[in-house]
Amino acid sequence: APGGPPGAAGAKAAKSGAGAAASAEIGRLSFDAKGAALPFEAAVGRRGDKVRRLRQEVRKQEAGAEKLRKAEDEGRGDEAMKDLALEKALKRARGEKVHDDMSKLRKAQKALEVKRKKGKDKWDHLQEQTKQAQQDKQDKRKENLAKPRGKKRKLQQLRGGFEGQHGNAFLNSER
């Protein structure tokens, strides 16, 4: 580079290259959502996860009802009901969904169970059809192999070794 100190052009190129690499690193962002941060319905997880979640919600509701019963027996039922209502209201205010309708939870569980049974029946039927198709093909193949085919098969129908390649004439026809 004319007019500048020797090696200055190389240093500028190195600096700009380093700056571009640094900005490229800074520009990379990852948006991996944590599983706990996702709402109830948004979780796309393992197989059978929805069933587990429903079971957990039912258990929570049953535990809450048991707590309420114990509190009523001890004479502080109103206080426990207010605490439970406040907790649910806070969850709703935070934007979380509150699953407290037992009939809906049971209905959802039943629907999933019916869906599972239907899928299992469909799969079993498909397996049975596949086995039947394989057996039919095997039977057809055996039948086709047993059928006489061409000149060679016609000769095999005769007594092999006696009338074989000599047509209808006996091997020792002199007798």
Side-chain angles (χ1 to χ4, degrees):
K12 281 184 183 176
K15 279 185 185 176
S16 68
S23 68
E25 279 298 314
I26 292 169
R28 291 188 190 166
L29 298 175
S30 70
F31 293 100
D32 294 329
K34 300 273 190 281
L38 292 174
F40 185 81
E41 287 79 14
V44 177
R46 299 188 314 263
R47 180 184 171 106
D49 214 19
K50 190 171 183 180
V51 173
R52 272 187 229 100
R53 276 198 319 264
L54 279 171
R55 244 185 245 141
Q56 182 182 5
E57 288 293 330
V58 168
R59 278 197 300 265
K60 275 185 187 176
Q61 288 304 313
E62 288 172 350
E66 186 64 30
K67 270 186 184 178
L68 204 57
R69 263 186 252 122
K70 283 184 181 178
E72 284 177 0
D73 290 345
E74 294 171 6
R76 52 183 183 87
D78 291 340
E79 184 184 325
M81 282 177 57
K82 283 181 184 176
D83 285 345
L84 193 61
L86 183 65
E87 190 178 317
K88 286 180 185 179
L90 285 173
K91 277 188 176 182
R92 286 189 175 104
R94 284 193 299 257
E96 296 177 26
K97 292 206 175 180
V98 178
H99 303 278
D100 59 350
D101 191 350
M102 282 297 282
S103 64
K104 281 188 178 181
L105 290 172
R106 296 271 186 219
K107 193 174 182 180
Q109 276 186 324
K110 180 74 173 170
L112 285 174
E113 199 61 39
V114 167
K115 186 178 176 183
R116 175 181 280 171
K117 187 181 183 319
K118 200 173 182 181
K120 186 182 183 320
D121 291 345
K122 192 174 180 180
W123 176 252
D124 290 342
H125 181 69
L126 190 65
Q127 294 286 77
E128 186 63 37
Q129 277 185 328
T130 306
K131 281 184 182 178
Q132 186 63 40
Q134 285 177 343
Q135 189 61 44
D136 290 348
K137 281 185 180 179
Q138 188 68 25
D139 292 345
K140 179 80 170 170
R141 185 172 186 274
K142 282 182 181 177
E143 184 183 314
N144 286 342
L145 286 174
K147 280 184 189 174
R149 208 172 74 203
K151 186 176 179 184
K152 189 173 181 181
R153 283 285 188 182
K154 288 179 186 170
L155 291 176
Q156 283 179 355
Q157 283 180 331
L158 301 171
R159 295 186 305 161
F162 292 99
E163 289 86 11
Q165 294 179 356
H166 299 288
N168 289 335
F170 288 101
L171 286 176
N172 44 5
S173 56
E174 300 91 48
R175 289 194 218 176

